[in-house]
Amino acid sequence: MTKFVKKDQVTSSWFEIDATNAVVGRLATVISKIIRGKNKTTYTPHMDHGDFVVVKNIEQAKFTGKKFEDKIYYRHTGHPGGIKETTPEKLHEKKPGETLKLAVKRMLPGGVLGRKQLTKLKIYTGSDHPHSAQNPQIIELGKLNSKNLVRN
Protein backbone atom coordinates (compact mmCIF):
# COMPACT_ATOMS: atom_id res chain seq x y z
CA MET A 1 0.00 0.00 0.00
CA THR A 2 1.16 3.53 -0.73
CA LYS A 3 2.43 5.44 2.30
CA PHE A 4 0.84 8.87 2.68
CA VAL A 5 2.42 11.68 4.65
CA LYS A 6 0.36 13.21 7.45
CA LYS A 7 0.26 16.97 8.11
CA ASP A 8 2.37 16.68 11.26
CA GLN A 9 5.07 14.74 9.37
CA VAL A 10 5.59 17.48 6.77
CA THR A 11 8.82 19.46 7.06
CA SER A 12 9.57 22.42 4.81
CA SER A 13 13.03 23.60 3.91
CA TRP A 14 14.15 26.79 2.20
CA PHE A 15 15.93 27.23 -1.13
CA GLU A 16 17.57 30.34 -2.60
CA ILE A 17 17.94 30.99 -6.33
CA ASP A 18 19.87 33.83 -7.93
CA ALA A 19 17.97 34.93 -11.05
CA THR A 20 20.88 36.78 -12.66
CA ASN A 21 20.77 36.01 -16.42
CA ALA A 22 18.21 33.23 -15.80
CA VAL A 23 15.62 32.36 -18.45
CA VAL A 24 12.21 33.12 -16.90
CA GLY A 25 10.37 30.02 -18.15
CA ARG A 26 13.10 27.59 -17.11
CA LEU A 27 13.41 29.29 -13.74
CA ALA A 28 9.65 28.97 -13.27
CA THR A 29 9.70 25.21 -13.93
CA VAL A 30 12.43 24.64 -11.33
CA ILE A 31 10.54 26.76 -8.79
CA SER A 32 7.16 25.13 -9.42
CA LYS A 33 8.59 21.64 -8.90
CA ILE A 34 10.10 22.65 -5.56
CA ILE A 35 6.95 24.49 -4.40
CA ARG A 36 4.71 21.52 -5.25
CA GLY A 37 7.09 19.08 -3.59
CA LYS A 38 7.74 17.04 -6.72
CA ASN A 39 11.44 16.90 -5.86
CA LYS A 40 10.63 14.76 -2.79
CA THR A 41 9.98 11.03 -2.69
CA THR A 42 6.91 11.63 -0.52
CA TYR A 43 5.05 13.66 -3.19
CA THR A 44 1.27 13.38 -3.18
CA PRO A 45 -0.79 15.61 -5.52
CA HIS A 46 -3.50 16.53 -3.01
CA MET A 47 -1.18 17.75 -0.21
CA ASP A 48 1.00 20.79 0.23
CA HIS A 49 4.39 19.57 1.38
CA GLY A 50 6.61 21.60 -0.89
CA ASP A 51 9.44 23.88 0.15
CA PHE A 52 9.91 27.64 0.27
CA VAL A 53 11.82 29.34 -2.55
CA VAL A 54 13.54 32.73 -2.30
CA VAL A 55 14.43 34.33 -5.64
CA LYS A 56 16.82 37.27 -5.59
CA ASN A 57 18.04 39.65 -8.33
CA ILE A 58 14.76 39.20 -10.23
CA GLU A 59 15.31 42.42 -12.19
CA GLN A 60 18.15 40.64 -14.06
CA ALA A 61 16.05 37.67 -15.27
CA LYS A 62 15.71 37.46 -19.05
CA PHE A 63 13.33 36.26 -21.74
CA THR A 64 14.72 34.53 -24.82
CA GLY A 65 14.07 35.82 -28.32
CA LYS A 66 11.66 38.75 -28.70
CA LYS A 67 9.24 37.58 -25.99
CA PHE A 68 10.07 40.51 -23.73
CA GLU A 69 8.49 42.92 -26.24
CA ASP A 70 6.07 40.67 -28.16
CA LYS A 71 4.51 38.33 -25.57
CA ILE A 72 1.06 39.44 -24.38
CA TYR A 73 -0.56 38.73 -21.03
CA TYR A 74 -4.36 38.94 -20.98
CA ARG A 75 -6.65 39.48 -18.00
CA HIS A 76 -10.34 40.26 -17.76
CA THR A 77 -12.04 42.68 -15.40
CA GLY A 78 -15.28 40.70 -15.39
CA HIS A 79 -17.26 43.44 -17.13
CA PRO A 80 -18.35 43.27 -20.80
CA GLY A 81 -15.51 44.36 -23.03
CA GLY A 82 -13.16 44.42 -20.06
CA ILE A 83 -10.22 42.52 -21.51
CA LYS A 84 -6.88 44.10 -20.64
CA GLU A 85 -3.51 43.24 -22.13
CA THR A 86 0.09 43.98 -21.20
CA THR A 87 3.57 42.89 -22.21
CA PRO A 88 6.39 41.65 -19.96
CA GLU A 89 8.23 44.89 -20.76
CA LYS A 90 5.44 47.06 -19.30
CA LEU A 91 4.88 44.67 -16.40
CA HIS A 92 8.60 44.65 -15.56
CA GLU A 93 8.64 48.44 -15.23
CA LYS A 94 5.82 48.43 -12.65
CA LYS A 95 6.48 45.14 -10.82
CA PRO A 96 9.78 43.40 -11.70
CA GLY A 97 8.87 40.01 -10.18
CA GLU A 98 5.35 39.73 -11.56
CA THR A 99 6.35 37.98 -14.81
CA LEU A 100 8.01 35.15 -12.86
CA LYS A 101 5.11 34.96 -10.42
CA LEU A 102 2.61 34.65 -13.30
CA ALA A 103 4.69 31.91 -14.93
CA VAL A 104 4.89 29.91 -11.69
CA LYS A 105 1.20 30.49 -10.91
CA ARG A 106 0.19 29.00 -14.25
CA MET A 107 2.28 25.88 -13.53
CA LEU A 108 0.52 25.23 -10.22
CA PRO A 109 -2.94 23.66 -9.80
CA GLY A 110 -5.83 26.10 -10.10
CA GLY A 111 -7.67 26.20 -6.82
CA VAL A 112 -7.16 26.48 -3.09
CA LEU A 113 -4.06 24.26 -3.06
CA GLY A 114 -2.36 26.19 -5.85
CA ARG A 115 -3.01 29.53 -4.15
CA LYS A 116 -1.58 28.19 -0.90
CA GLN A 117 1.50 26.85 -2.65
CA LEU A 118 2.13 30.15 -4.42
CA THR A 119 2.59 31.87 -1.03
CA LYS A 120 5.79 29.82 -0.64
CA LEU A 121 7.43 31.84 -3.42
CA LYS A 122 9.34 34.90 -2.18
CA ILE A 123 10.65 37.28 -4.88
CA TYR A 124 13.10 40.14 -4.21
CA THR A 125 14.95 42.72 -6.29
CA GLY A 126 18.60 43.02 -5.38
CA SER A 127 20.71 40.47 -3.55
CA ASP A 128 19.36 41.08 -0.03
CA HIS A 129 16.35 39.28 1.46
CA PRO A 130 14.93 38.97 5.00
CA HIS A 131 14.98 35.14 5.01
CA SER A 132 18.67 34.60 5.76
CA ALA A 133 17.77 33.31 9.25
CA GLN A 134 16.19 30.22 7.63
CA ASN A 135 19.60 29.25 6.12
CA PRO A 136 18.31 28.56 2.61
CA GLN A 137 20.14 26.05 0.42
CA ILE A 138 21.54 27.71 -2.70
CA ILE A 139 20.48 26.26 -6.05
CA GLU A 140 22.73 27.14 -8.99
CA LEU A 141 20.64 27.12 -12.17
CA GLY A 142 23.67 26.95 -14.47
CA LYS A 143 24.76 23.66 -12.93
CA LEU A 144 21.32 22.08 -13.37
CA ASN A 145 21.31 22.79 -17.12
CA SER A 146 23.41 25.17 -19.21
CA LYS A 147 20.27 26.34 -21.08
CA ASN A 148 18.85 27.78 -17.84
CA LEU A 149 21.09 30.83 -18.25
CA VAL A 150 21.01 33.27 -21.18
CA ARG A 151 24.10 33.14 -23.40
CA ASN A 152 25.54 36.46 -24.47
Side-chain angles (χ1 to χ4, degrees), residues 46-112:
H46 67 281
M47 288 205 41
D48 179 21
H49 51 85
D51 299 319
F52 290 86
V53 178
V54 177
V55 181
K56 61 182 187 176
N57 294 322
I58 192 61
E59 72 280 357
Q60 297 174 10
K62 306 274 193 267
F63 281 88
T64 56
K66 295 182 179 179
K67 284 182 240 155
F68 194 62
E69 298 89 20
D70 295 345
K71 185 178 176 76
I72 298 175
Y73 293 118
Y74 293 101
R75 65 182 182 85
H76 202 282
T77 61
H79 294 285
I83 195 159
K84 305 287 182 184
E85 61 181 45
T86 185
T87 63
E89 192 173 22
K90 293 175 189 171
L91 203 56
H92 185 75
E93 290 172 10
K94 294 178 186 174
K95 302 177 188 174
E98 198 65 22
T99 54
L100 177 67
K101 190 174 179 180
L102 270 174
V104 172
K105 179 183 177 183
R106 292 170 180 184
M107 293 179 188
L108 296 176
V112 179

Side-chain angles (χ1 to χ4, degrees), residues 12 14 27-37 47-55 97-124 131:
S12 293
W14 287 73
L27 177 61
T29 57
V30 171
I31 291 170
S32 65
K33 285 178 187 172
I34 294 171
I35 287 176
R36 287 205 70 191
M47 288 205 41
D48 179 21
H49 51 85
D51 299 319
F52 290 86
V53 178
V54 177
V55 181
E98 198 65 22
T99 54
L100 177 67
K101 190 174 179 180
L102 270 174
V104 172
K105 179 183 177 183
R106 292 170 180 184
M107 293 179 188
L108 296 176
V112 179
L113 181 63
R115 285 191 296 274
K116 185 178 178 194
Q117 289 171 341
L118 191 62
T119 62
K120 293 186 172 193
L121 174 62
K122 314 292 182 187
I123 301 174
Y124 298 101
H131 305 289

Side-chain angles (χ1 to χ4, degrees), residues 11-28:
T11 56
S12 293
S13 54
W14 287 73
F15 292 96
E16 179 181 316
I17 299 176
D18 188 1
T20 305
N21 290 331
V23 178
V24 173
R26 288 177 171 270
L27 177 61

